mmCIF file of all heavy atoms in Angstrom:
data_model
loop_
_atom_site.group_PDB
_atom_site.id
_atom_site.type_symbol
_atom_site.label_atom_id
_atom_site.label_comp_id
_atom_site.label_asym_id
_atom_site.label_seq_id
_atom_site.Cartn_x
_atom_site.Cartn_y
_atom_site.Cartn_z
ATOM 1 N N ARG A 385 -13.930 -1.111 -38.096
ATOM 2 C CA ARG A 385 -13.083 -0.250 -37.270
ATOM 3 C C ARG A 385 -12.285 0.624 -38.267
ATOM 4 O O ARG A 385 -11.671 0.119 -39.142
ATOM 5 C CB ARG A 385 -12.111 -1.077 -36.403
ATOM 6 C CG ARG A 385 -11.386 -0.240 -35.386
ATOM 7 C CD ARG A 385 -10.252 -0.991 -34.782
ATOM 8 N NE ARG A 385 -9.122 -1.094 -35.667
ATOM 9 C CZ ARG A 385 -7.978 -1.698 -35.374
ATOM 10 N NH1 ARG A 385 -7.809 -2.218 -34.121
ATOM 11 N NH2 ARG A 385 -6.991 -1.769 -36.220
ATOM 12 N N LEU A 386 -12.349 1.925 -37.975
ATOM 13 C CA LEU A 386 -11.688 2.904 -38.874
ATOM 14 C C LEU A 386 -10.569 3.588 -38.054
ATOM 15 O O LEU A 386 -10.801 4.101 -36.960
ATOM 16 C CB LEU A 386 -12.731 3.949 -39.333
ATOM 17 C CG LEU A 386 -12.236 5.039 -40.307
ATOM 18 C CD1 LEU A 386 -13.387 5.452 -41.232
ATOM 19 C CD2 LEU A 386 -11.711 6.261 -39.524
ATOM 20 N N ASN A 387 -9.378 3.645 -38.692
ATOM 21 C CA ASN A 387 -8.193 4.207 -38.057
ATOM 22 C C ASN A 387 -8.145 5.681 -38.519
ATOM 23 O O ASN A 387 -7.924 5.922 -39.692
ATOM 24 C CB ASN A 387 -7.013 3.412 -38.499
ATOM 25 C CG ASN A 387 -5.673 4.072 -38.142
ATOM 26 O OD1 ASN A 387 -5.654 5.256 -37.735
ATOM 27 N ND2 ASN A 387 -4.557 3.331 -38.302
ATOM 28 N N PHE A 388 -8.379 6.629 -37.614
ATOM 29 C CA PHE A 388 -8.387 8.028 -38.050
ATOM 30 C C PHE A 388 -7.035 8.755 -37.770
ATOM 31 O O PHE A 388 -7.032 10.015 -37.791
ATOM 32 C CB PHE A 388 -9.616 8.796 -37.530
ATOM 33 C CG PHE A 388 -9.769 8.849 -36.021
ATOM 34 C CD1 PHE A 388 -9.170 9.842 -35.291
ATOM 35 C CD2 PHE A 388 -10.570 7.955 -35.322
ATOM 36 C CE1 PHE A 388 -9.287 9.946 -33.874
ATOM 37 C CE2 PHE A 388 -10.754 8.014 -33.961
ATOM 38 C CZ PHE A 388 -10.103 9.017 -33.237
ATOM 39 N N ALA A 389 -5.987 8.020 -37.565
ATOM 40 C CA ALA A 389 -4.660 8.665 -37.424
ATOM 41 C C ALA A 389 -4.047 8.942 -38.778
ATOM 42 O O ALA A 389 -3.026 8.347 -39.211
ATOM 43 C CB ALA A 389 -3.755 7.739 -36.618
ATOM 44 N N THR A 390 -4.746 9.783 -39.516
ATOM 45 C CA THR A 390 -4.321 10.138 -40.880
ATOM 46 C C THR A 390 -4.588 11.618 -41.052
ATOM 47 O O THR A 390 -5.098 12.297 -40.079
ATOM 48 C CB THR A 390 -5.038 9.238 -41.865
ATOM 49 O OG1 THR A 390 -4.421 9.526 -43.142
ATOM 50 C CG2 THR A 390 -6.498 9.525 -41.931
ATOM 51 N N SER A 391 -4.378 12.158 -42.264
ATOM 52 C CA SER A 391 -4.586 13.592 -42.412
ATOM 53 C C SER A 391 -6.083 13.900 -42.543
ATOM 54 O O SER A 391 -6.836 13.001 -43.027
ATOM 55 C CB SER A 391 -3.870 14.090 -43.671
ATOM 56 O OG SER A 391 -4.462 13.485 -44.821
ATOM 57 N N PRO A 392 -6.512 15.074 -42.223
ATOM 58 C CA PRO A 392 -7.934 15.407 -42.437
ATOM 59 C C PRO A 392 -8.289 15.212 -43.931
ATOM 60 O O PRO A 392 -9.432 14.776 -44.222
ATOM 61 C CB PRO A 392 -7.994 16.865 -42.042
ATOM 62 C CG PRO A 392 -6.886 17.017 -41.033
ATOM 63 C CD PRO A 392 -5.806 16.137 -41.504
ATOM 64 N N ALA A 393 -7.347 15.483 -44.848
ATOM 65 C CA ALA A 393 -7.651 15.275 -46.243
ATOM 66 C C ALA A 393 -7.972 13.808 -46.628
ATOM 67 O O ALA A 393 -8.958 13.499 -47.282
ATOM 68 C CB ALA A 393 -6.478 15.786 -47.097
ATOM 69 N N VAL A 394 -7.148 12.917 -46.071
ATOM 70 C CA VAL A 394 -7.375 11.470 -46.405
ATOM 71 C C VAL A 394 -8.690 11.004 -45.737
ATOM 72 O O VAL A 394 -9.463 10.325 -46.299
ATOM 73 C CB VAL A 394 -6.160 10.599 -45.951
ATOM 74 C CG1 VAL A 394 -6.531 9.141 -45.961
ATOM 75 C CG2 VAL A 394 -4.955 10.898 -46.794
ATOM 76 N N LEU A 395 -8.918 11.472 -44.484
ATOM 77 C CA LEU A 395 -10.149 11.078 -43.778
ATOM 78 C C LEU A 395 -11.340 11.564 -44.543
ATOM 79 O O LEU A 395 -12.328 10.759 -44.724
ATOM 80 C CB LEU A 395 -10.109 11.644 -42.387
ATOM 81 C CG LEU A 395 -11.084 11.280 -41.378
ATOM 82 C CD1 LEU A 395 -11.093 9.724 -41.186
ATOM 83 C CD2 LEU A 395 -10.937 11.915 -40.042
ATOM 84 N N THR A 396 -11.316 12.754 -45.049
ATOM 85 C CA THR A 396 -12.410 13.295 -45.791
ATOM 86 C C THR A 396 -12.678 12.562 -47.091
ATOM 87 O O THR A 396 -13.809 12.155 -47.375
ATOM 88 C CB THR A 396 -12.206 14.828 -46.145
ATOM 89 O OG1 THR A 396 -11.890 15.486 -44.888
ATOM 90 C CG2 THR A 396 -13.404 15.431 -46.821
ATOM 91 N N GLU A 397 -11.587 12.262 -47.769
ATOM 92 C CA GLU A 397 -11.689 11.499 -49.036
ATOM 93 C C GLU A 397 -12.294 10.103 -48.771
ATOM 94 O O GLU A 397 -13.159 9.618 -49.478
ATOM 95 C CB GLU A 397 -10.290 11.398 -49.633
ATOM 96 C CG GLU A 397 -10.107 10.431 -50.823
ATOM 97 C CD GLU A 397 -10.758 11.047 -52.099
ATOM 98 O OE1 GLU A 397 -10.990 12.180 -52.199
ATOM 99 O OE2 GLU A 397 -10.961 10.224 -53.071
ATOM 100 N N ALA A 398 -11.800 9.466 -47.694
ATOM 101 C CA ALA A 398 -12.211 8.084 -47.433
ATOM 102 C C ALA A 398 -13.699 8.036 -47.104
ATOM 103 O O ALA A 398 -14.437 7.217 -47.603
ATOM 104 C CB ALA A 398 -11.367 7.502 -46.258
ATOM 105 N N VAL A 399 -14.164 8.976 -46.173
ATOM 106 C CA VAL A 399 -15.535 8.869 -45.762
ATOM 107 C C VAL A 399 -16.462 9.280 -46.894
ATOM 108 O O VAL A 399 -17.606 8.754 -47.088
ATOM 109 C CB VAL A 399 -15.763 9.661 -44.485
ATOM 110 C CG1 VAL A 399 -17.265 9.571 -43.991
ATOM 111 C CG2 VAL A 399 -14.894 9.153 -43.337
ATOM 112 N N THR A 400 -16.037 10.221 -47.761
ATOM 113 C CA THR A 400 -16.848 10.622 -48.859
ATOM 114 C C THR A 400 -17.006 9.428 -49.823
ATOM 115 O O THR A 400 -18.123 9.148 -50.239
ATOM 116 C CB THR A 400 -16.117 11.810 -49.614
ATOM 117 O OG1 THR A 400 -15.877 12.855 -48.719
ATOM 118 C CG2 THR A 400 -17.011 12.350 -50.795
ATOM 119 N N ARG A 401 -15.912 8.735 -50.098
ATOM 120 C CA ARG A 401 -16.015 7.538 -50.909
ATOM 121 C C ARG A 401 -16.919 6.463 -50.301
ATOM 122 O O ARG A 401 -17.624 5.759 -51.000
ATOM 123 C CB ARG A 401 -14.603 6.938 -51.105
ATOM 124 C CG ARG A 401 -13.688 7.717 -52.029
ATOM 125 C CD ARG A 401 -12.634 6.650 -52.484
ATOM 126 N NE ARG A 401 -11.312 7.219 -52.644
ATOM 127 C CZ ARG A 401 -10.223 6.515 -52.831
ATOM 128 N NH1 ARG A 401 -10.281 5.180 -52.719
ATOM 129 N NH2 ARG A 401 -9.071 7.052 -52.999
ATOM 130 N N MET A 402 -16.815 6.328 -48.985
ATOM 131 C CA MET A 402 -17.656 5.286 -48.345
ATOM 132 C C MET A 402 -19.128 5.675 -48.486
ATOM 133 O O MET A 402 -19.961 4.781 -48.707
ATOM 134 C CB MET A 402 -17.276 5.215 -46.833
ATOM 135 C CG MET A 402 -15.943 4.526 -46.593
ATOM 136 S SD MET A 402 -15.264 4.845 -44.907
ATOM 137 C CE MET A 402 -16.447 3.928 -43.919
ATOM 138 N N GLY A 403 -19.446 6.964 -48.391
ATOM 139 C CA GLY A 403 -20.816 7.367 -48.579
ATOM 140 C C GLY A 403 -21.331 7.027 -50.001
ATOM 141 O O GLY A 403 -22.403 6.526 -50.158
ATOM 142 N N GLN A 404 -20.493 7.306 -50.960
ATOM 143 C CA GLN A 404 -20.831 7.026 -52.341
ATOM 144 C C GLN A 404 -20.974 5.534 -52.558
ATOM 145 O O GLN A 404 -21.875 5.081 -53.264
ATOM 146 C CB GLN A 404 -19.768 7.575 -53.327
ATOM 147 C CG GLN A 404 -19.753 9.090 -53.398
ATOM 148 C CD GLN A 404 -18.435 9.684 -53.924
ATOM 149 O OE1 GLN A 404 -17.451 8.917 -54.082
ATOM 150 N NE2 GLN A 404 -18.388 10.969 -54.120
ATOM 151 N N ALA A 405 -20.154 4.754 -51.891
ATOM 152 C CA ALA A 405 -20.242 3.329 -51.999
ATOM 153 C C ALA A 405 -21.538 2.737 -51.513
ATOM 154 O O ALA A 405 -22.153 1.857 -52.077
ATOM 155 C CB ALA A 405 -19.083 2.660 -51.229
ATOM 156 N N VAL A 406 -22.030 3.329 -50.368
ATOM 157 C CA VAL A 406 -23.297 2.901 -49.826
ATOM 158 C C VAL A 406 -24.416 3.226 -50.776
ATOM 159 O O VAL A 406 -25.323 2.380 -51.084
ATOM 160 C CB VAL A 406 -23.566 3.521 -48.440
ATOM 161 C CG1 VAL A 406 -25.026 3.385 -48.010
ATOM 162 C CG2 VAL A 406 -22.601 2.958 -47.410
ATOM 163 N N GLU A 407 -24.402 4.395 -51.398
ATOM 164 C CA GLU A 407 -25.386 4.735 -52.401
ATOM 165 C C GLU A 407 -25.385 3.756 -53.541
ATOM 166 O O GLU A 407 -26.384 3.248 -53.988
ATOM 167 C CB GLU A 407 -25.135 6.170 -52.939
ATOM 168 C CG GLU A 407 -25.506 7.273 -51.997
ATOM 169 C CD GLU A 407 -26.894 7.113 -51.427
ATOM 170 O OE1 GLU A 407 -27.811 6.887 -52.167
ATOM 171 O OE2 GLU A 407 -27.025 7.189 -50.179
ATOM 172 N N ALA A 408 -24.172 3.430 -54.033
ATOM 173 C CA ALA A 408 -24.026 2.518 -55.220
ATOM 174 C C ALA A 408 -24.539 1.150 -54.776
ATOM 175 O O ALA A 408 -25.198 0.459 -55.580
ATOM 176 C CB ALA A 408 -22.578 2.467 -55.674
ATOM 177 N N HIS A 409 -24.220 0.753 -53.583
ATOM 178 C CA HIS A 409 -24.611 -0.583 -53.102
ATOM 179 C C HIS A 409 -26.130 -0.691 -53.014
ATOM 180 O O HIS A 409 -26.733 -1.712 -53.333
ATOM 181 C CB HIS A 409 -24.007 -0.856 -51.769
ATOM 182 C CG HIS A 409 -24.294 -2.237 -51.219
ATOM 183 N ND1 HIS A 409 -23.666 -3.368 -51.705
ATOM 184 C CD2 HIS A 409 -25.222 -2.705 -50.340
ATOM 185 C CE1 HIS A 409 -24.149 -4.414 -51.068
ATOM 186 N NE2 HIS A 409 -25.070 -4.026 -50.275
ATOM 187 N N ARG A 410 -26.777 0.430 -52.569
ATOM 188 C CA ARG A 410 -28.260 0.415 -52.445
ATOM 189 C C ARG A 410 -28.870 0.184 -53.802
ATOM 190 O O ARG A 410 -29.821 -0.546 -53.937
ATOM 191 C CB ARG A 410 -28.708 1.734 -51.877
ATOM 192 C CG ARG A 410 -28.500 1.856 -50.386
ATOM 193 C CD ARG A 410 -29.688 2.532 -49.693
ATOM 194 N NE ARG A 410 -29.471 2.497 -48.301
ATOM 195 C CZ ARG A 410 -28.813 3.457 -47.628
ATOM 196 N NH1 ARG A 410 -28.433 4.576 -48.210
ATOM 197 N NH2 ARG A 410 -28.546 3.343 -46.337
#
Side-chain angles (χ1 to χ4, degrees):
R385 191 193 73 176
L386 181 150
N387 171 349
F388 60 86
T390 189
S391 66
V394 167
L395 190 58
T396 304
E397 169 75 18
V399 180
T400 307
R401 285 200 216 170
M402 287 164 67
Q404 290 160 353
V406 167
E407 287 310 312
H409 183 79
R410 282 220 177 92

